[in-house]
Amino acid sequence: EEQKRLLENRPDQPQNAKVLRVAIIGAPNAGKSTLSNQLLGRKVFPVSRKVHTTRCKARGVITHQDTQLIILDTPGLTNPLKAKRHNLDEAMLTDPWDSMKHADLVLVLVDVSDHWTRNSLSKEVLKCLSQFPHIPSVLVLNKVDVLKKKFLLLEIATDLTEGIVNGKKLEVKSALKQDSSSSAKSPLHITRASPPESKVPGSPSGQEKNQTQEGSGLDKSSDVEGADIGEAQGPKHQGPEDLKDTKGWPHFQEIFMLAALHGEEVDTLKRYLLMQAKPGPWEFHSDVLTNQSPQEICDNIIREKILEYLPLEVPYGVTQVTEVWEEGECGELLIMQSLLVPRESHKRMLIGRGGKVISKIAREAGQDLMNAFLCDVCLKLKVEVKS
């Protein structure tokens, strides 16, 4: 009731209100929901190591003084073939595009721990960026704590930006010894070289040419500061043919490097987002953290645990039905949910030997719900085969 009332209330905005709508896009499992939760300071979006944990677009709301950030957490960009394989709704294909339409800024999240995909943006992400070239975009390299060889970050950043950030060429210089013991806080430098005839980023002659230029260090702040590009032309809309051999996007305004799971450098990104806000009316009351209903948050958190503890494609066939949702005598929340599975073998897997799996799911989901709702939660789960 409280959440419903807050969502229906007129926003309590100050006189000089500012707002920024931020879409977070990326491949499935890049860490979009983890980053959203860290920015919000509370867990309201489901997180799992399995792909397609986020099934719908949801909004997170950060209100700081006169500024409101609206975080559009979206499902991972996927294609129709993969959507069919994971039994996904059609909305999974359209929601990220809808979020882009309403965004003032887009964060493109890339998992640098995945050596198969980290050196090029997925075709779906590139297609999305090229469809909305007028929306400012920022590259966020996630899971940098997992990367042992930190010098690789320079190579990844150059590949994903095609050597250009904010209209300037990047000159990559590394003062690192290229070994696995290199620290993330070591002096990594990316320099913007303004002359158009500069050599390719990272080439020895290009480095010498720009040795005297002032660079911005990728040190503790982990962001690459922007430079004005004057009257430079903005990115143009590109068709599928233009993207065929494209690996990166040369129109990013900034690069951030962080570890969303541990909250490393998330505050740096948050401060940047607050600074990008423009004058405009707030969309939500300052007490709103998300536009999801408590039931939606509950469903998502339970499904997160099912995804975590069931193998392969099994969790994607589970249907959740809430039987009981009521407040107890002492203000605790009583929830009972039925988990419907298509086969008897799936039921045995979900229950586990001696009920161990279902007990673990209920215990962990209950704890997360307490943290989300800030009240005691008594959660009971039962498993049935769909009739």
Side-chain angles (χ1 to χ4, degrees), residues 41 86 127 159 195 236 251 260 304 322:
H86 287 100
K127 194 175 164 191
D159 286 345
K236 291 181 175 60
H251 308 296
E304 167 199 308
T322 302

Side-chain angles (χ1 to χ4, degrees), residues 24-37 45 54 73-77 109 142:
I24 304 180
I25 67 167
N29 222 22
K32 297 179 292 297
S33 295
T34 302
L35 178 58
S36 298
N37 287 334
F45 299 117
T54 302
D73 184 38
T74 59
L77 283 157
L109 204 61
N142 190 25

Side-chain angles (χ1 to χ4, degrees), residues 256-268:
F256 287 84
M257 301 186 182
L258 48 81
L261 187 62
H262 306 295
E264 287 177 27
E265 300 302 340
V266 172
D267 276 347
T268 307

Side-chain angles (χ1 to χ4, degrees), residues 101-144:
K101 283 177 197 166
H102 300 110
D104 304 311
L105 181 80
V106 57
L107 299 183
V108 177
L109 204 61
V110 175
D111 173 4
V112 297
S113 71
D114 187 339
H115 68 277
W116 295 107
T117 60
R118 67 189 177 203
N119 285 89
S120 61
L121 296 173
S122 75
K123 287 289 171 259
E124 283 84 16
V125 168
L126 281 168
K127 194 175 164 191
C128 211
L129 288 169
S130 69
Q131 291 282 330
F132 303 95
H134 58 285
I135 301 173
S137 56
V138 169
L139 176 64
V140 180
L141 302 182
N142 190 25
K143 308 185 189 180
V144 296

Side-chain angles (χ1 to χ4, degrees), residues 148-380:
K148 288 190 167 62
K149 297 176 180 176
K150 302 300 179 193
F151 66 86
L152 289 173
L153 288 170
L154 298 168
E155 182 190 303
I156 294 165
T158 307
D159 286 345
L160 297 178
T161 61
E162 298 202 335
I164 297 170
V165 175
N166 207 5
K168 306 285 181 179
K169 275 201 170 187
L170 298 180
E171 288 296 334
V172 177
K173 303 196 292 286
S174 175
L176 295 178
K177 287 179 183 170
Q178 298 196 354
D179 59 39
S180 58
S181 61
S182 303
S183 160
K185 304 286 189 279
S186 298
L188 314 183
H189 292 281
I190 287 187
T191 307
R192 286 194 185 77
S194 31
E197 65 275 5
S198 292
K199 301 288 181 187
V200 177
S203 67
S205 52
Q207 287 176 14
E208 287 161 16
K209 186 170 183 178
N210 289 281
Q211 203 70 40
T212 55
Q213 290 197 6
E214 199 174 317
S216 60
L218 287 173
D219 51 17
K220 198 169 152 197
S221 68
S222 291
D223 65 355
V224 180
E225 292 298 328
D228 292 331
I229 54 174
E231 300 298 313
Q233 291 294 309
K236 291 181 175 60
H237 181 94
Q238 291 175 291
E241 285 305 307
D242 302 319
L243 301 173
K244 205 160 58 175
D245 302 312
T246 308
K247 283 171 63 175
W249 181 247
H251 308 296
F252 288 119
Q253 293 198 340
E254 304 284 340
I255 306 173
F256 287 84
M257 301 186 182
L258 48 81
L261 187 62
H262 306 295
E264 287 177 27
E265 300 302 340
V266 172
D267 276 347
T268 307
L269 176 60
K270 190 171 176 177
R271 284 196 299 274
Y272 170 80
L273 295 175
L274 288 166
M275 283 166 58
Q276 301 309 304
K278 300 283 189 291
W282 284 3
E283 202 172 313
F284 297 97
H285 190 278
S286 60
D287 288 337
V288 171
L289 194 67
T290 176
N291 68 334
Q292 300 172 95
S293 70
Q295 286 90 344
E296 285 172 319
I297 293 173
C298 175
D299 283 354
N300 285 334
I301 284 175
I302 292 169
R303 197 167 53 80
E304 167 199 308
K305 305 303 174 189
I306 296 168
L307 281 164
E308 201 64 31
Y309 294 116
L310 288 190
L312 304 171
E313 309 294 313
V314 175
Y316 299 98
V318 178
T319 304
Q320 296 164 253
V321 180
T322 302
E323 312 277 2
V324 176
W325 182 287
E326 58 189 37
E327 194 174 333
E329 289 177 14
C330 305
E332 75 277 21
L333 181 58
L334 306 172
I335 305 168
M336 187 155 125
Q337 195 168 97
S338 294
L339 306 175
L340 309 178
V341 293
R343 297 189 186 94
E344 191 65 41
S345 59
H346 291 184
K347 179 180 175 180
R348 286 196 297 272
M349 274 188 232
L350 186 47
I351 293 172
R353 187 173 291 179
K356 275 187 180 174
V357 175
I358 196 69
S359 299
K360 195 172 187 180
I361 289 170
R363 189 170 61 250
E364 290 185 11
Q367 187 58 56
D368 279 357
L369 289 169
M370 280 193 236
N371 296 336
F373 299 148
L374 303 178
C375 72
D376 287 334
V377 174
C378 176
L379 173 66
K380 292 187 178 176

Side-chain angles (χ1 to χ4, degrees), residues 1-62:
E1 292 301 317
E2 174 71 4
Q3 173 75 342
K4 196 176 174 186
R5 187 180 61 78
L6 283 173
L7 289 170
E8 286 171 357
N9 271 3
R10 288 187 64 184
D12 52 338
Q13 62 187 36
Q15 251 185 336
N16 305 312
K18 289 188 284 186
V19 69
L20 186 76
R21 298 167 67 85
V22 184
I24 304 180
I25 67 167
N29 222 22
K32 297 179 292 297
S33 295
T34 302
L35 178 58
S36 298
N37 287 334
Q38 289 285 6
L39 287 167
L40 290 165
R42 288 248 293 282
K43 183 174 179 177
V44 294
F45 299 117
V47 176
S48 165
R49 284 172 293 187
K50 282 202 176 72
V51 296
H52 305 306
T53 307
T54 302
R55 292 281 179 124
C56 61
K57 61 183 175 195
R59 286 170 174 74
V61 185
I62 300 164

